[in-house]
Amino acid sequence: MALAFHQVDAFSDRPFSGNPAMVYRLDAWLSDELMQRIAAEHNLAETAFVVREGQAWHIRWFTPTTEVPLCGHATLASAYVLFNIYKEPAERLDFVCKSGPLSVTREDGRLWLDFPAIAPPAVAANPQIAEALGVQPVEVLGTNQLFVVLDSEQAVRECRPDMAALAKLPWLGAIVTARGDRHDFVSRFFAPAIGINEDPVTGSTHCLLIPYWAQQLDKLSLTAYQCSARGGELFCRLEGERVKIGGDATLVASGTLHLD
């Protein structure tokens, strides 16, 4: 069996920036075990698999070690592949995933994710959080992700977590964020518990980041920068109970996986 794959740098208008994702458009689902092994072989933060079922594309995402319920950058990458490689004619693609319905639209050359807005509740004081992150939080919130507000962009950029300690905390990952110097807000995302020490650019974390900063800054349209080593710029809108996350994408590789 031979399967075509496409590697896309999401949230970037040039190669070797943004967040790389591998995309497979399948005619039918592979076994969970095989998809996980394929993701481990590519060893990127996310490998996405999409299958057309009815009018919607069903999408699943795998890190090198586990399946995750929601991934923004690999959804953006998948939409880029469907639009540009497989020539989907519509200006909107509807996806179904374990977290519910999603969509991606093309607007003036940019791709826009439509994701649920999530307002994280406060987290009880826990000295292990500051110890694991190596920083003193201004505010700590969280859902299945830890959401830590710091006092400056510099503090976000200089954050050096203890990955082993962070992986032991009862959250899938940790967002650190602050007001930006040139953007409305900045962030980074660490998830050693699911095999990703630091994700270069994370669309799904902006489901939490956009509502928070929209309230803090009293504005519905925001610019964001995820200041990892690769870095990526995101254009953000809060629209009621949904967030719109806009970004560019760049194809960097295509090939064939041989399973015989």
Side-chain angles (χ1 to χ4, degrees):
M1 178 168 46
L3 300 174
F5 62 77
H6 306 280
Q7 184 173 330
V8 175
D9 285 348
F11 297 111
S12 175
D13 60 0
R14 61 192 184 279
F16 315 126
S17 183
N19 200 351
M22 197 65 71
V23 179
Y24 283 83
R25 191 203 70 166
L26 304 174
D27 294 326
W29 291 112
L30 306 171
S31 70
D32 291 4
E33 179 187 8
L34 181 54
M35 288 189 288
Q36 185 63 73
R37 292 177 68 184
I38 291 171
E41 181 73 12
H42 288 302
N43 200 33
L44 295 177
E46 302 288 347
T47 296
F49 300 89
V50 293
V51 173
R52 185 69 175 261
E53 296 183 354
Q55 297 301 309
W57 290 94
H58 287 237
I59 186 166
R60 295 174 69 180
W61 310 274
F62 290 79
T63 77
T65 60
T66 191
E67 184 176 5
V68 295
L70 185 64
C71 178
H73 85 275
T75 304
L76 195 82
S78 298
Y80 178 92
V81 167
L82 293 173
F83 280 134
N84 293 281
I85 305 298
Y86 296 102
K87 305 302 180 183
E88 281 291 312
E91 294 301 303
R92 168 179 167 142
L93 296 173
D94 291 303
F95 292 94
V96 176
C97 72
K98 293 184 176 180
S99 296
L102 311 171
S103 68
V104 182
T105 56
R106 285 190 290 195
E107 299 176 23
D108 300 324
R110 182 168 289 148
L111 297 177
W112 288 85
L113 300 166
D114 182 337
F115 275 17
I118 301 171
V123 169
N126 184 341
Q128 294 179 327
I129 294 172
E131 292 172 6
L133 291 173
V135 292
Q136 189 58 47
V138 172
E139 187 175 8
V140 180
L141 309 169
T143 54
N144 62 338
Q145 311 286 0
L146 192 60
F147 187 105
V148 179
V149 182
L150 303 183
D151 62 6
S152 67
E153 177 173 325
Q154 182 178 357
V156 172
R157 289 182 177 272
E158 294 179 352
C159 184
R160 299 291 183 269
D162 179 335
M163 296 298 175
L166 190 59
K168 294 177 182 178
L169 296 179
W171 291 274
L172 292 179
I175 305 161
V176 294
T177 185
R179 293 193 186 203
D181 297 331
R182 298 172 61 183
H183 296 79
D184 289 309
F185 65 90
V186 298
S187 68
R188 291 171 71 190
F189 181 59
F190 309 100
I194 58 171
I196 306 168
N197 279 355
E198 180 169 5
D199 196 35
V201 191
T202 316
S204 61
T205 59
H206 288 73
C207 295
L208 292 80
L209 286 160
I210 294 169
Y212 177 86
W213 286 111
Q215 182 179 41
Q216 295 294 314
L217 302 176
D218 194 25
K219 57 194 303 188
L220 299 179
S221 294
L222 308 103
T223 60
Y225 188 75
Q226 191 155 332
C227 44
S228 64
R230 291 174 63 99
E233 188 173 31
L234 305 95
F235 303 87
C236 308
R237 301 198 301 258
L238 179 63
E239 298 184 358
E241 296 183 354
R242 308 292 293 182
V243 295
K244 296 291 182 68
I245 307 164
D248 298 305
T250 302
L251 179 70
V252 295
S254 295
T256 305
L257 180 71
H258 297 280
L259 298 176
D260 297 330

